[in-house]
Amino acid sequence: MASLLTLEEAQERVLALARPLPAERVPVAEAAGRVTAEEVRARVDLPPFASSAMDGFAVRAADLPGTLQVSGESAAGRPFEGRLEPGSAIAISTGAVVPEGADAVVPVERVVKLANTVEISLAAEAGAHIRPCGGDVARGELVAAAGERLSPARLAAVAASGVAELPCRRRPRVAVLATGTELVAPGESLRAGQIYETNTLMLASMLAAAGAEVSSEPPAADDEAALRQVLERGLAADVLVTSGGVSVGEHDLVRAVERELGVEEVFWRVSIKPGKPVSFGVRGDTLVFGLPGNPVSALVGSELFVKPALRALQGLADPLPRFEPGQLGAGLRRNEERDEFVRARSRVDGTALVLEPIAGQESHMIVRSGAADALVHIPRGNGKLAAGSIVRWLRLDAA
Ligand code: AMP
Ligand code: MG
């Protein structure tokens, strides 16, 4: 038992072998959630011209206070053609070009409109309510670094900067395969000894949300010939993720068949709970994860090993899971040998984030775990963590 890898050692071995995939050019309309492969620089100034921040009147600050002749309009997308003459004002809308000669905008709420004139009783500073050209970003400046996920706002930033297409890392192609003779698809009736198969659905939805292009197959029986065939197909992907059949039972054949197919095992078994029998190997450029079949073990193994690998393949700078601090809602006994990952519900109590462990922490209890939104890390050690202890936790609904 002392020879088991720690979580950190195992994650290090995975990340050492998960190198960024090649880049491809992606139109912005299809780039949501993708990861930049190169830095993105602005092609234009933003705003591209001095523009109004308010609906109102463009004026010369030096003319205020005063009554000004309204000599035209600058609307968004329809600039005023010509100059603002001294003693006059141009009606202007938010986002419209500030006409030459104007150096301030007076909001419409602060003027008295008469037939062809506006009365402005207050002074204005030069530059008031004007968004300067390039005030958000200047042409040539950095908009996104390489290795950044295109969140909705970052995607908007890229588009606003005049970039229509950009190099992104190819999405990892992931094959998901459940193994176990007892597994049947939901919708069929259960015969003696059978259970409904859940891991394919769970892993496919989780890994797709993490940026993968997922393909899956019906579950495979614990049979060497059947496994050989489907595993060989799965090994054509960038990442093969199996569940089940990696423990020490007579019918746990996945690792042996993978070895026959040329997979070099990097590790088997890690000192975590649940999920200890997890395996990891490579064949060529394909990363091969063998998650244990118990659904909660597969969930935890996927969060701790597969998702970090997918982030690294996409070129993200910090591929490890992002743990946040929180406070335990109930005391928990620590495991002496293994780091434990406890499913919990998070709730906000004033300024504290409190984690309430769910009842039913066994690794087959996927229905209990279905109510959890947090995975709490209880480091191995002696004794108990008291209620109120500060712990690290991982959001279960995050990509
Ligand atoms: P194994 O890792 O193959 O020894 O499986 C451990 C436990 O998880 C057994 O009770 C299996 O029936 C169950 N199990 C394995 N694969 C799945 C799956 N895809 N969906 C639901 N339960 C599973
Ligand atoms: Mg099995």
Side-chain angles (χ1 to χ4, degrees):
M1 202 56 80
S3 66
L4 284 195
L5 285 185
T6 63
L7 172 64
E8 293 75 19
E9 289 166 340
Q11 285 174 323
E12 212 172 283
R13 290 186 194 192
V14 169
L15 294 182
L17 291 160
R19 290 188 204 89
L21 291 167
E24 60 188 11
R25 295 197 69 80
V26 181
V28 278
E30 291 158 30
R34 299 289 295 265
V35 178
T36 55
E38 288 175 20
E39 60 180 28
V40 179
R41 290 186 174 271
R43 300 252 169 95
V44 294
D45 296 320
L46 190 66
F49 45 85
S51 69
S52 179
M54 303 290 276
D55 293 317
F57 290 87
V59 300
R60 293 188 337 149
D63 286 342
L64 300 188
T67 299
L68 306 174
Q69 187 72 29
V70 178
S71 55
E73 189 197 9
S74 182
R78 268 194 297 115
F80 175 72
E81 285 170 20
R83 270 187 77 80
L84 176 98
E85 297 302 331
S88 68
I90 300 286
I92 193 163
S93 40
T94 305
V97 177
V98 174
E100 240 180 279
D103 64 358
V105 167
V106 179
V108 68
E109 298 87 344
R110 304 228 193 106
V111 310
V112 177
K113 279 196 272 186
L114 302 167
N116 291 318
T117 59
V118 279
E119 254 179 47
I120 302 169
S121 56
L122 295 172
E125 282 192 15
H129 304 300
I130 293 179
R131 302 164 172 169
C133 172
D136 190 2
V137 76
R139 182 188 169 129
E141 277 182 350
L142 191 68
V143 174
E148 300 215 66
R149 176 93 64 194
L150 291 166
S151 65
R154 202 172 265 141
L155 190 61
V158 166
S161 309
V163 174
E165 203 182 75
L166 70 168
C168 295
R169 294 288 162 195
R170 183 161 69 64
R171 294 173 64 189
R173 289 193 273 267
V174 178
V176 172
L177 178 70
T179 73
T181 304
E182 73 280 27
L183 305 174
V184 297
E188 291 176 25
S189 44
L190 294 179
R191 291 206 297 269
Q194 294 184 324
I195 60 168
Y196 289 121
E197 199 278 301
T198 59
N199 294 349
T200 306
L201 266 180
M202 179 178 70
L203 294 169
S205 68
M206 183 172 174
L207 302 178
E213 227 167 70
V214 179
S215 61
S216 56
E217 303 228 15
D222 299 310
D223 167 90
E224 280 187 32
L227 282 172
R228 206 171 288 124
Q229 209 179 31
V230 278
L231 288 173
E232 181 61 50
R233 266 206 300 279
L235 284 165
D238 298 312
V239 182
L240 168 60
V241 183
T242 62
S243 81
V246 290
S247 197
V248 292
E250 282 285 302
H251 302 284
D252 292 331
L253 304 170
V254 170
R255 293 170 55 238
V257 173
E258 285 176 348
R259 194 172 316 121
E260 266 178 46
L261 294 174
V263 175
E264 292 170 53
E265 192 160 89
V266 175
F267 64 74
W268 175 51
R269 305 204 294 183
V270 177
S271 60
I272 53 173
K273 184 183 176 188
K276 183 174 84 169
V278 58
S279 72
F280 172 64
V282 287
R283 191 181 81 170
D285 289 333
T286 302
L287 307 180
V288 185
F289 293 92
L291 303 176
N294 273 310
V296 181
S297 308
L299 175 82
V300 170
S302 187
E303 288 287 351
L304 297 180
F305 302 109
V306 184
K307 279 172 66 174
L310 295 187
R311 293 190 203 104
L313 291 174
Q314 290 172 88
L316 285 167
D318 296 315
L320 284 172
R322 185 189 154 99
F323 284 93
E324 296 173 52
Q327 202 175 304
L328 266 188
L332 284 179
R333 182 158 302 285
R334 295 167 75 175
N335 185 295
E336 279 180 30
E337 279 153 10
R338 292 192 271 163
D339 283 31
E340 199 162 349
F341 290 88
V342 168
R343 277 77 61 214
R345 281 190 70 82
S346 66
R347 79 184 153 79
V348 175
D349 182 359
T351 54
L353 190 298
V354 180
L355 299 151
E356 300 289 356
I358 55 168
Q361 290 284 334
E362 287 173 59
S363 61
H364 67 286
M365 293 181 162
I366 190 60
V367 172
R368 309 292 186 106
S369 288
D373 64 351
L375 202 54
V376 181
H377 181 195
I378 306 295
R380 61 188 174 280
N382 296 314
K384 209 173 154 179
L385 285 184
S389 301
I390 301 298
V391 288
R392 304 190 320 147
W393 67 286
L394 196 58
R395 213 172 278 279
L396 275 178
D397 53 3

